[in-house]
Every structure is written in C-alpha cells, then in structure tokens.
Amino acid sequence: MSTFTAVHEPLEARDVLLGRTTHVRRILPNRNRRMIGAWCFLDHYGPDDIKRAGGMWVPPHPHTGLQTVTWLFEGEGLHTDSLGSRQLIRPGQLNVMTAGHGIAHAEVSPESAATLLHGVQLWAVLPDGVRESAAPDFTHVADLPTHVGDGVRVTVITGELDGWRSTAPSFTPLVAAEVGLEPGASSTVHLDRGFEYGVLVVQGAVRVDGTDVGRNQMSYLGQGRPELSLTAVEPHDESVVLLLGGEPFEEEIVMWWNFVGRSHEEIVDQREAWNGEGLDWVPERFGQVADFDGDRLLAPPMPNTRLKARGRLG
Ligand code: MN
C-alpha cells in the first residue's frame, strides 16, 4: 500500500545575469519552494560557447553560513579563494567550499578552457549549530564514487546513494548525484523516505517515475518515496540528470546577496564587514583573494525594507 502521495511539482527557472557575461537559470530559491533539504540555491548554466558568451567571470566575493558546490558537465573552471587555494576543476570533479564565519573566492574560465561551459552552482545552508564554528575550508575531490553498468552511470557528488558515499564534507543529511543514461537505458535508485528530492534534467529527456521531464526542467518530488525510476526518452544522445535531496531543513534563514544568516542585523554586519570603506579597504573577516586581475565585487545597497527570515516553503 502506498504511504505517500507522489508529487511532481515543476520548479520554473528564471534568467539571471551573473557578472557581465554569464546568463544562468536560477531554480532555487523558487517562489513556493525555497529549498530541497539544505540545498538553498541552484544556478544552472550552459552549455555556452565561452568564446562568444565570454565565459565565467565572477570576481572575488564573500560568503557566510553556507557551502558552495561547483559541478561541471562540460568545460573547465578556475577557483581561487582567501585561504590561498588555486584549483582547476573539470567535469566529474567537485569543488566544495565551506564559508563558516566568512570566506571569499573567485571563479573564472581559465584561458586554456574548452569551448563549451555547462554546469551548476549549488549552496547548502549550514545549520545554526555549526555555521559560525565550522572552519572556512576548500576541498577539491577528484575521485568520486562512480558506478557504471547497463547504460547507466551514477556519480555521487555529496552524501550517499545506493551504498556509494562521497567524501565531500557536509553538515546536514543531504545528497547530490549525477545520473547519465544512454538512449533507452533505465535505472532505479533507492531513496531515503525521510528526504525530500528533486531532479534537474541537464541533457536529453528523462521519464521520472512515469512523468517526462525535459531538458533544463526541474521537478520537485516531495518526501516518502522509497525509490525512483529514471528512463532515458531522448533517442539519440545520453540523458543526464542531477538528483538533489535532503532532510527538510526546518530553520528559517535570511539569504541576501552572497550571505546566509538568521536576521536582518547579521546581514547588515556581514555586508559592512565586506564593503568597509570601499575597494582599498581590507575585509579582515573574509580575507583577500590573491592574484586576481581585477577588483573585488562590492555588495549592493541594502533594500529599504527589513530582510525577513524565511522557511523552506517561503
Ligand atoms: Mn560564490
């Protein structure tokens, strides 16, 4: 007997211009569905021809209270940060950065990069108990658990799926995985009934528990599912899905610009700690990104209204 109602809720993306050149499809936060587990932010971009579109160019900017996860399907990226990290990233590899009390980083397309750039940028909220105490950290994981068979390829990016576990640091029960399906291939993955899930199709088209989800579409799948069947319906190319899930995150948070806090006042403090007296000022809380050829990004003015803490459903 079924103990849950199968949800299939489309999450519409909106177009956002990032920096001067990069258009992204912002899927989280969404109006009525701000998070999936602790995943509070999801930008999907490309495939873009970087020779034409200009490539990734995100100058040094700060983060607080979250982890950033960079995951590429095509192309290359160069990450630098205020801890002194300098890391190239390629498809199949993971960059995860824990902001804690404060960190700054930059992400650009290296000059040597391949023509096409296609990827996602995710943020996971840090729970209140660790968001100030978690040490700022950058971890690059070059080898993630990947399971291949019967036309199906599963890579666990964060957390655990079907007994395969990523070594990426995380602070709440959550999962991210890439599933590649050759034309006609099917896969069933086991889910955690206590998690909520969503799937984003980044290439091809996939039948998800009987419902077709097209390229660049995301479907929120709710909680209580014991498993999920995925079948490629695109007849010519591999279909690729990003599966996201996690235990519903029950804390209310304030997300503004690149900061995640719990109150308006905290965000005001974080903004002042970064902007200071302008570009020549040293933001001690966040540190400086060395060797960046350009200015850091200052935060915009605060809105005229007070920022409100919001829960996962808005
Ligand atoms: Mn960032």
Side-chain angles (χ1 to χ4, degrees), residues 41 58-59 61-63 66 68 70 97 104-107 121 123 258:
F41 182 91
V58 186
H61 60 280
H63 285 294
L66 57 86
T68 64
T70 301
M97 185 180 81
H105 74 148
E107 288 182 295
Q121 169 79 208
W123 298 352
N258 292 299

Side-chain angles (χ1 to χ4, degrees), residues 151-180:
V152 180
R153 173 181 56 80
V154 180
T155 300
V156 184
I157 301 167
T158 305
E160 187 250 323
L161 188 71
D162 273 335
W164 302 79
R165 172 166 283 280
S166 164
T167 58
S170 57
F171 294 85
T172 56
L174 84 178
V175 68
E178 179 184 317
V179 182

Side-chain angles (χ1 to χ4, degrees), residues 69-149:
V69 165
T70 301
W71 183 255
L72 298 180
F73 305 104
E74 291 180 84
E76 286 150 60
L78 176 64
H79 164 102
T80 49
D81 65 39
S82 51
L83 302 173
S85 316
R86 184 178 181 85
Q87 181 66 55
L88 269 176
I89 182 170
R90 297 195 166 85
Q93 306 176 338
L94 170 67
N95 278 355
V96 53
M97 185 180 81
T98 303
H101 183 66
I103 199 167
H105 74 148
E107 288 182 295
V108 302
S109 295
E111 281 183 23
S112 60
T115 306
L116 290 180
L117 180 64
H118 184 198
V120 288
Q121 169 79 208
L122 287 152
W123 298 352
V125 192
L126 295 176
D128 199 39
V130 300
R131 66 192 181 96
E132 289 292 316
S133 58
D137 176 69
F138 173 77
T139 300
H140 175 77
V141 188
D143 284 306
L144 290 158
T146 299
H147 182 63
V148 184

